[in-house]
Amino acid sequence: MMDMDDRTPAVAPGWRLGAKAQVGLGLAVSLLCLWLALRDMAPDAVLRSLRQAELTWVALALLSVLLTNGAKAARWRLLFYPHHRHLPLRSSSPSC
């Protein structure tokens, strides 16, 4: 059986983005989606809604997303690298 280190990369090395480029591209796509979602709304109505939000529920939702992403990264690490338990979760998930 081949070890994961012996396989060729799934993406050609010339096509990989650096960490800063990935973050920049992710932010650009996120801002575009946010603009598309909010473009027909009045800015004061959006701010009013955000001010009325319960911070407890917002914090719990954020914590839920972070824990879910961490659990998924741990699962993928175990599935793809079962003998490399020393790998950080960041290497298993693009969202970490």
Side-chain angles (χ1 to χ4, degrees):
M1 184 169 142
M2 269 197 312
D3 191 28
M4 289 298 289
D5 297 334
D6 297 335
R7 296 182 185 174
T8 57
V11 177
W15 289 96
R16 295 199 84 149
L17 291 175
K20 290 181 182 179
Q22 285 181 348
V23 170
L25 183 62
L27 284 174
V29 170
S30 297
L31 289 174
L32 174 67
C33 290
L34 190 60
W35 176 78
L36 287 171
L38 300 177
R39 66 181 169 180
D40 293 332
M41 298 184 75
D44 57 333
V46 173
L47 288 175
R48 197 173 329 116
S49 294
L50 289 174
R51 286 188 188 120
Q52 292 175 352
E54 292 264 352
L55 291 181
T56 304
W57 292 112
V58 173
L60 285 174
L62 182 60
L63 180 65
S64 168
V65 169
L66 292 174
L67 289 175
T68 300
N69 281 342
K72 287 179 181 181
R75 178 188 64 194
W76 286 114
R77 181 180 63 185
L78 287 174
L79 286 171
F80 285 114
Y81 307 105
H83 304 295
H84 299 283
R85 293 182 187 264
H86 65 281
L87 287 175
L89 287 180
R90 293 180 117 175
S91 65
S92 306
S93 175
S95 62
C96 289

